[in-house]
């Protein structure tokens, strides 16, 4: 298993990569996104009708700012969704603690993440929606905000954004960077395009040595392994009222949560539920699909399996006879983890690479995973090696593991403790990330250039 390493000293800014003729694929992408820009209002209108966009802030998706830029230096941090935003908030807080004169703009791409940021953002941090990746929208956004540093998270590689930031000479970084086996293979098949994009980054701050090497292979000049920032992130929020209501509805019923599940996994979970129901009186399974819009179809599939269902998005709570409680809502995973003592981490029974287990461990859930966890090799490798998680492959194995944990309080407590200890040993990525970012900011001008709180 890879261990984090200290980043090298990075005095000053690396020299910009000389401008080269873009590969055909990149030139075609630029042309297509430029031609498609007039259709953007239609696309956004369709997404708004499905609850995936905020009509009141539509202009932000076209690069039109909804607030003025503060004076002085400004760091632009982009996080795609709730998980990335939660991971990057400590980075922002520590940056502002070290450089209070630097304003921070945080962008996200989803309605849910915008709500999350509104509740959790530190004082003085502004939020906007990220512009759509069309040349005109990106240019308009950059013309207004004029960032001194751009920080992207994990795997947010938008070609127009990346190349335009680089062309303007703005330091560009990728923090908590990761890349699945499948994505790496795809990028290697398009190596000229990969080099054209990844060579634009001033620094790639990767989760592991193996990942850092992948980014170097794809053209990144500076790629450093520091560990996983999500390990240092605060726990997901728990809604106290919602937690109390759900816990009261379940009462003393044994339960577990299958979190961030994907199509192809729920039928395995249903089979495990039927087995558990035979041994644990009143057993209830909570399923939180990775994509909540799958809730209606998932409910129909569970009923076809002969199971009784309640759906959280309809305002329902589990009744005494509910077999499967489908939590098809957004932003409530913390509340669900706090409600169930055992969590199966989805995306791991199919060839997807698994979802993040850190959030479950942080909220006291004992973790179970399938065999596919390549998206988080450092975290899941450490959890499995320490006994802080168990890997299963079948419905019978899942049922057996859940039954053991719920029937043995000492085993459950030991699993939880081992999980916490494994994460503690992997900590420190936040400090190492800040050590790379700080030298890329312009020199401090003291309080004369301090950012205004928003």
């Amino acid at each position: 298993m890879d261990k984090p390493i200290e980043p090298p000293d990075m005095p000053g800014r690396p020299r910009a990569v000389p401008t080269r003729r873009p590969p055909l694929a990149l030139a075609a992408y630029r042309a297509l996104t430029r031609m498609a820009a007039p259709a953007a209002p239609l696309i956004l209108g369709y997404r708004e009708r499905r609850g995936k966009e905020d009509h009141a802030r539509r202009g932000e998706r076209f690069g039109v700012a909804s607030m003025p830029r503060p004076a002085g230096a400004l760091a632009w941090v982009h996080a795609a969704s709730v998980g990335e935003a939660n991971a990057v908030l400590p980075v922002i807080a520590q940056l502002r603690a070290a450089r209070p004169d630097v304003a921070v703009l945080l962008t996200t791409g989803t309605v849910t993440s915008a709500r999350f940021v509104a509740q959790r953002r530190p004082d003085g941090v502004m939020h906007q929606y990220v512009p759509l990746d069309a040349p005109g929208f990106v240019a308009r956004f950059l013309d207004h905000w004029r960032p001194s540093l751009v920080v992207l998270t994990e795997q947010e590689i938008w070609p127009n954004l990346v190349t335009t930031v680089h062309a303007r000479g703005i330091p560009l970084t990728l923090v908590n960077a990761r890349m699945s086996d499948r994505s790496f293979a795809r990028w290697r098949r398009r190596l000229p395009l990969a080099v054209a994009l990844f060579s634009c980054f001033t620094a790639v701050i990767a989760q592991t040595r193996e990942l850092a090497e992948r980014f170097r292979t794809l053209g990144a000049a500076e790629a450093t392994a520091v560990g996983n920032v999500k390990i240092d992130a605060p726990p997901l929020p728990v809604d106290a009222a919602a937690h109390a209501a759900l816990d009261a509805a379940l009462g003393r019923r044994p339960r577990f949560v299958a979190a961030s599940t994907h199509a192809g996994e729920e039928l395995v979970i249903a089979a495990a539920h039927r087995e558990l129901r035979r041994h644990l009186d009143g057993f209830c399974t909570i399923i939180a699909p990775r994509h909540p819009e799958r809730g209606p179809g998932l409910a129909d599939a569970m009923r076809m399996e002969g199971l009784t269902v309640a759906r959280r998005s309809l305002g329902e709570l589990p009744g005494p006879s509910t077999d499967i409680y489908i939590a098809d809502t957004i932003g409530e995973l913390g509340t669900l983890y706090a409600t169930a003592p055992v969590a199966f981490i989805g995306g791991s029974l199919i060839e997807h690479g698994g979802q993040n287990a850190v959030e479950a461990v942080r909220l006291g859930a004992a973790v179970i995973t399938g065999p596919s966890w390549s998206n988080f090799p450092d975290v899941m490798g450490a959890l499995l090696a320490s006994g802080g998680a168990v890997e299963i492959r079948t419905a019978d194995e899942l049922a057996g593991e859940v039954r053991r944990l719920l029937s043995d309080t000492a085993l459950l407590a030991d699993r939880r403790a081992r999980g916490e200890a494994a994460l503690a040993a992997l900590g420190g990525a936040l400090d190492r990330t800040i050590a790379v970012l700080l030298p890329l900011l312009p020199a401090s001008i003291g309080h004369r250039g301090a950012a205004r709180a928003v």
Side-chain angles (χ1 to χ4, degrees):
M1 182 185 65
D2 289 316
K3 295 182 179 179
I5 59 175
E6 294 292 338
D9 291 333
M10 295 180 62
R13 298 178 183 174
R15 290 177 296 175
V17 177
T19 303
R20 300 184 181 91
R21 189 183 187 89
L24 181 60
L26 181 55
Y29 177 86
R30 288 174 177 167
L32 287 171
T33 50
R34 186 177 291 110
M35 289 187 294
L42 295 176
I43 297 170
L44 290 182
Y46 172 73
R47 288 176 55 81
E48 285 167 8
R49 290 190 293 275
R50 299 179 65 197
K52 292 177 176 281
E53 296 287 340
D54 184 346
H55 178 75
R57 297 174 63 180
R58 181 190 282 197
E60 295 173 23
R61 298 292 265 159
F62 302 144
V64 178
S66 59
M67 59 183 67
R69 184 199 189 280
L74 181 142
W76 169 25
V77 180
H78 174 62
S81 57
V82 172
E84 290 79 11
N86 189 58
V88 84
L89 284 177
V91 175
I92 292 172
Q94 198 149 322
L95 268 180
R96 283 189 53 77
R99 290 293 304 273
D101 59 308
V102 176
V104 174
L105 170 69
L106 173 60
T107 61
T108 60
T110 66
V111 172
T112 311
S113 58
R115 293 172 185 154
F116 175 83
V117 170
Q119 297 170 351
R120 299 287 296 272
R121 65 177 177 172
D123 290 340
V125 174
M126 301 164 286
H127 175 267
Q128 299 276 272
Y129 282 105
V130 69
L132 298 173
D133 197 47
F137 302 157
V138 171
R140 183 184 294 144
F141 178 93
L142 292 173
D143 287 345
H144 176 84
W145 291 106
R146 305 186 311 279
S148 310
L149 171 68
V150 176
V151 180
L152 307 181
T153 58
E154 295 205 4
Q155 47 189 348
E156 284 292 288
I157 312 297
W158 292 101
N160 288 320
L161 188 159
V162 167
T163 54
T164 305
V165 167
H166 176 66
R168 295 190 180 204
I170 303 167
L172 175 65
T173 62
L174 186 64
V175 305
N176 213 40
R178 64 184 179 93
M179 180 177 293
S180 67
D181 295 342
R182 186 180 304 174
S183 293
F184 182 53
R186 283 200 298 262
W187 280 115
R188 290 196 71 172
R189 290 195 295 270
R190 301 167 178 83
L191 195 57
L193 174 62
V195 171
L197 294 175
F198 289 104
S199 64
C200 291
F201 284 89
T202 309
V204 173
I205 308 170
Q207 296 179 14
T208 68
R209 287 190 180 95
E210 180 184 4
L211 289 171
E213 182 57 35
R214 286 183 177 183
F215 285 105
R216 284 191 289 268
T217 299
L218 297 176
E222 294 282 349
T224 305
V226 305
N228 191 335
V229 171
K230 285 186 174 179
I231 294 169
D232 296 328
L236 290 176
V238 176
D239 184 311
H243 174 253
L246 180 54
D247 202 47
L250 288 166
R252 300 177 62 86
R253 297 178 64 187
R255 82 291 298 254
F256 94 113
V257 60
S260 300
T261 59
H262 293 248
E265 295 184 304
E266 288 96 0
L267 291 181
V268 177
I269 294 163
H273 173 86
R274 284 193 295 269
E275 178 65 17
L276 284 160
R277 189 176 57 180
R278 290 177 57 240
H279 299 281
L280 300 174
D281 186 44
F283 187 78
C284 181
T285 293
I286 303 169
I287 299 180
R290 176 68 173 172
H291 303 289
E293 63 270 18
R294 294 181 55 236
L298 180 55
D300 290 341
M302 294 295 102
R303 292 187 185 105
M304 290 287 289
E305 293 294 308
L307 301 171
T308 59
V309 177
R311 284 177 51 205
R312 190 162 181 81
S313 64
L314 300 179
E316 298 171 348
L317 286 170
S321 62
T322 300
D323 289 303
I324 307 293
Y325 185 54
I326 299 176
D328 52 345
T329 53
I330 297 174
E332 291 198 295
L333 203 52
T335 300
L336 300 176
Y337 282 140
T339 301
V342 178
F344 166 77
I345 307 302
S348 61
L349 282 174
I350 58 172
E351 290 300 321
H352 175 77
Q355 302 299 151
N356 181 22
V358 172
E359 298 158 341
V361 175
R362 287 286 186 240
L363 287 167
V367 166
I368 301 172
T369 180
S372 177
W373 41 267
S374 59
N375 288 342
F376 300 92
D378 54 338
V379 172
M380 197 55 75
L383 288 173
L384 291 169
S386 68
V390 166
E391 181 180 297
I392 56 88
R393 293 175 179 271
T394 67
D396 285 344
E397 290 179 356
L398 175 58
E401 187 59 31
V402 172
R403 183 183 175 192
R404 278 190 292 274
L405 287 166
L406 294 182
S407 302
D408 187 337
T409 56
L411 176 63
L412 180 63
D414 181 69
R415 179 74 53 81
R416 288 165 159 169
R418 288 175 182 270
E420 284 285 3
L423 294 189
L426 291 176
L430 175 59
D431 290 340
R432 291 187 283 267
T433 296
I434 296 298
V436 177
L437 295 179
L438 283 177
L440 300 179
L441 287 166
S444 174
I445 56 174
H447 294 294
R448 289 185 298 110
R452 295 196 304 267
V454 176

